[in-house]
């Protein structure tokens, strides 16, 4: 029987096994929803009203949440998003500029000159901020926005579980990234250096673990603080992760790598012991993570995006290895080019994921439009030029990249050691490359989040690693093309 309390209703229907929900006011007419059997042979061609049954489930519309601090993506205006994102974005960009300046300096260290495979490792380690810290930020931002951070006991369990999980992921991905970089360097060179392998493995694992612990702690403080201040953490957490991630990771890698390279001849056992200790810790972290309800699902199902993203970033590392050794000046721009794109697309992916979480569980859609959008590649016009709120946010993030990159290029020009001569042609080509990179990433994000949701996977755990890794590959490739198109290196 239908209750008329507050005249507010919530309609749920199922399409091809996916739940579609739509909210209705009491004065609105209820359009009956169709349910199509998941085993229907014609399900791929669309939904046929003739072969469907009708099921209408009515419940209170306010079931979604009763929290005043929850941010609804459909209600948040584009200028609010822009104002909240801009300052963290610029701070993040300055962090990336600093990382580029550090990379330009550390490439003169002996460890970077002797172990050239380290350039293949750099994008994979820098990509950990997208694989781990940005994913952590997106995951916790969603929990904050749906009200799961209001109980102290739940918050403590959530924080502890996520810290342990990111440590586990950092150790495993750091070790695998070192193995992949060694393999990619060994195949063309034709010889294997055990000393270089020990330095690379121990440096990679320890850098990944230390950076992940530091950045994860900062992310938790930022998200909990912004939640208490009633600021949407989706808009600020991932840019802050980006601002600190590259600089912190590069500094730790250069320090540990340089130290181990100096003492490897006299203390060969030290890098071996470092690697073994971290690997011994992994089963302990696995047991602790499995016992935590908030991260158990990520522990079981969250490895493929992280590992696949590491391989994609390592492919970008091959390009970087070539570029650094043949093109003067490219290293200082690499963290900025890659970081800005990954930063902006992480904000968008986190917002899209939160919007879906606010209306149900993975696999549930609030209307047919969202469901059909997950089955096909979205129309570029609707992604970038429609009047929908998501499209407005996409435009804000896309065009934010232009003044951001101009500012960052100017800062690099002033602070770079060799004071590169930046021509109008270079700036023009650089901005085109950056615009193309961000546009492609934002378009992919619009499809990937919905696609992941339709397959009952949490986009917070899946999308950002892929998107930031694709951003690294695209950014490094496009930046290399820019330098190759110039009459001479800057």
């Amino acid at each position: 029987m239908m209750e008329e309390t507050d005249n507010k209703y919530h309609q749920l229907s199922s399409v091809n096994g996916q739940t579609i929900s739509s909210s209705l006011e009491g004065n609105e007419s209820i359009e009956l929803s169709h349910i199509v059997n998941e085993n229907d042979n014609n399900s791929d061609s669309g939904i046929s009203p003739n072969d469907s049954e009708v099921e209408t489930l009515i419940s209170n519309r306010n079931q979604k949440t009763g929290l005043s601090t929850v941010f609804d993506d459909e209600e948040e205006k584009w200028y609010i998003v822009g104002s909240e994102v801009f300052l963290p974005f610029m701070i993040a960009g300055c962090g990336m500029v600093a990382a580029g300046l550090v990379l330009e300096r550390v490439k003169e260290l002996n460890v970077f000159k002797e172990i050239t495979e380290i350039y293949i490792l750099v994008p994979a380690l820098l990509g950990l901020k997208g694989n781990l810290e940005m994913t952590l930020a997106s995951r916790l931002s969603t929990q904050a926005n749906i009200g799961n951070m209001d109980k102290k006991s739940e918050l403590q369990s959530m924080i502890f579980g996520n810290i342990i999980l990111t440590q586990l992921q950092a150790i495993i991905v750091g070790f695998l990234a070192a193995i992949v970089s060694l393999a990619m360097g060994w195949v063309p060179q034709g010889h294997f250096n055990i000393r270089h392998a020990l330095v690379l493995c121990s440096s990679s694992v320890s850098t990944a673990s230390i950076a992940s612990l530091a950045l994860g702690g900062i992310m938790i403080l930022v998200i909990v603080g912004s939640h208490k201040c009633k600021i949407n953490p989706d808009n600020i957490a991932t840019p802050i992760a980006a601002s600190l991630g590259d600089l912190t990771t590069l500094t730790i890698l250069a320090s540990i790598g340089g130290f181990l390279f100096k003492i490897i001849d006299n203390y060969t056992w030290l890098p071996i012991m470092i690697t073994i200790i971290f690997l011994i810790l992994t089963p302990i972290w696995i047991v602790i993570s499995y016992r935590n309800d908030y991260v158990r699902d990520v522990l079981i199902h969250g490895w493929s995006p992280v590992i696949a993203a590491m391989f994609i970033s390592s492919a970008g590392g091959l390009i970087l290895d070539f570029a650094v050794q043949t093109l003067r000046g490219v290293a200082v721009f690499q963290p900025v080019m890659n970081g800005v794109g990954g930063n902006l697309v992480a904000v968008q992916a986190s917002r899209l994921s939160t919007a879906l979480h606010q209306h149900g569980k993975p696999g549930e859609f609030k209307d047919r439009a969202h469901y059909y959008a997950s089955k096909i590649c979205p129309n570029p016009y609707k992604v970038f030029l429609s009047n929908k709120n998501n499209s407005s946010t996409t435009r804000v993030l896309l065009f934010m990249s232009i003044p951001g990159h101009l500012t960052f290029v100017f800062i690099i020009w002033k602070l770079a050691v060799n004071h590169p001569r930046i021509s109008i042609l270079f700036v023009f080509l650089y901005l085109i490359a950056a615009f193309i990179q961000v546009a492609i990433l934002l378009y992919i994000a619009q499809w990937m989040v919905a696609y992941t949701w339709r397959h009952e996977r949490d986009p917070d755990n899946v999308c950002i690693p892929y998107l930031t890794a694709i951003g690294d590959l695209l950014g490094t490739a496009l930046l290399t093309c820019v330098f190759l198109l110039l009459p001479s290196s800057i």
Side-chain angles (χ1 to χ4, degrees), residues 79-229:
Y79 50 85
I80 295 176
V81 176
S83 62
E84 289 186 356
V85 172
F86 183 74
L87 182 59
F89 168 71
M90 295 304 294
I91 294 173
C94 291
M96 296 166 200
V97 169
L101 295 173
V102 169
L103 182 59
E104 184 72 14
R105 288 175 179 267
V106 300
K107 73 177 187 178
E108 302 301 324
L109 297 176
N110 289 334
V111 64
F112 280 78
K113 289 181 178 179
E114 295 291 329
I115 309 178
T116 56
E117 295 91 345
I118 202 167
Y119 288 110
I120 303 174
L121 181 64
V122 165
L125 285 182
L126 297 188
L128 282 178
K129 76 176 187 299
N131 294 350
L132 305 182
E133 278 70 50
M134 284 186 174
T135 303
L136 170 66
S138 178
R139 193 160 59 236
L140 292 181
S141 296
T142 296
Q143 294 297 323
N145 281 336
I146 63 178
N148 288 344
M149 282 192 174
D150 296 327
K151 293 183 179 179
K152 188 175 181 180
S153 59
E154 290 187 4
L155 178 60
Q156 290 176 345
S157 177
M158 190 185 306
I159 290 174
F160 181 72
N162 276 284
I163 287 291
I164 295 299
L165 177 66
T166 53
Q167 278 295 293
L168 171 64
Q169 291 177 322
I171 292 170
I172 293 178
V173 174
F175 183 73
L176 289 177
I179 298 299
V180 170
S181 62
L182 284 170
M184 288 183 173
W186 171 55
V187 171
Q189 292 177 5
H191 68 275
F192 182 79
N193 190 314
I194 187 65
R195 293 169 59 255
H196 291 181
L198 291 175
V199 172
L200 211 59
C201 285
S202 56
S203 300
S204 178
V205 171
S206 52
T207 296
S209 179
I210 296 170
S212 177
L213 182 62
L215 294 172
I218 294 172
M219 283 302 92
I220 289 168
L221 291 175
V222 169
I223 292 168
V224 173
S226 62
H227 179 62
K228 291 185 180 299
C229 295

Side-chain angles (χ1 to χ4, degrees), residues 45 51 106 115 139 201 239 244 275 322 339 444 447 468 490:
S45 61
D51 298 326
V106 300
I115 309 178
R139 193 160 59 236
C201 285
L244 300 171
T275 306
F322 159 78
I444 294 174
W447 165 79
T468 53
I490 62 173

Side-chain angles (χ1 to χ4, degrees), residues 9-118:
Y9 304 102
H10 188 71
Q11 176 181 334
L12 299 175
S13 62
S14 178
V15 180
N16 285 352
Q18 308 293 327
T19 303
I20 299 178
S21 64
S22 59
S23 299
L24 300 170
E25 296 292 340
N27 296 329
E28 293 177 324
S29 62
I30 299 177
E31 178 183 353
L32 296 179
S33 302
H34 302 289
I35 302 175
V36 177
N37 192 311
E38 187 175 17
N39 296 322
D40 188 354
N41 294 330
N42 296 323
S43 60
D44 291 338
S45 61
I47 298 174
S48 172
N50 298 328
D51 298 326
S52 60
E53 299 174 355
V54 176
E55 178 184 357
T56 304
L57 304 175
I58 301 173
S59 61
N60 193 302
R61 182 183 180 183
N62 291 330
Q63 273 185 321
K64 179 174 70 174
T65 180
L67 297 171
S68 60
T69 56
V70 169
F71 295 86
D72 193 334
D73 186 62
E74 297 297 330
E75 298 174 359
E76 200 171 9
K77 301 299 182 183
W78 65 267
Y79 50 85
I80 295 176
V81 176
S83 62
E84 289 186 356
V85 172
F86 183 74
L87 182 59
F89 168 71
M90 295 304 294
I91 294 173
C94 291
M96 296 166 200
V97 169
L101 295 173
V102 169
L103 182 59
E104 184 72 14
R105 288 175 179 267
V106 300
K107 73 177 187 178
E108 302 301 324
L109 297 176
N110 289 334
V111 64
F112 280 78
K113 289 181 178 179
E114 295 291 329
I115 309 178
T116 56
E117 295 91 345
I118 202 167

Side-chain angles (χ1 to χ4, degrees), residues 383-457:
V383 173
F384 295 104
L385 299 174
S386 74
N387 294 324
K388 298 253 184 190
N389 199 43
N390 276 340
S391 182
S392 300
T393 304
T394 301
R395 290 194 295 273
V396 169
L397 296 174
L398 179 60
F399 287 102
M400 193 179 291
S401 65
I402 301 301
H405 271 297
L406 282 173
T407 303
F408 305 145
V409 167
F410 177 78
I411 295 173
I412 290 173
W413 176 55
K414 287 295 184 181
L415 298 181
V417 177
N418 295 326
H419 298 288
R421 291 175 286 106
I422 298 178
S423 64
I424 298 297
L425 176 61
F426 169 77
V427 174
F428 177 71
L429 293 175
Y430 181 88
L431 291 180
I432 289 178
F435 191 85
I436 291 172
Q437 179 210 27
V438 175
I440 292 174
L441 290 175
L442 291 173
Y443 179 80
I444 294 174
Q446 195 75 29
W447 165 79
M448 183 178 286
V449 171
Y451 178 85
T452 303
W453 187 266
R454 182 168 69 89
H455 285 79
E456 301 183 2
R457 299 287 301 278

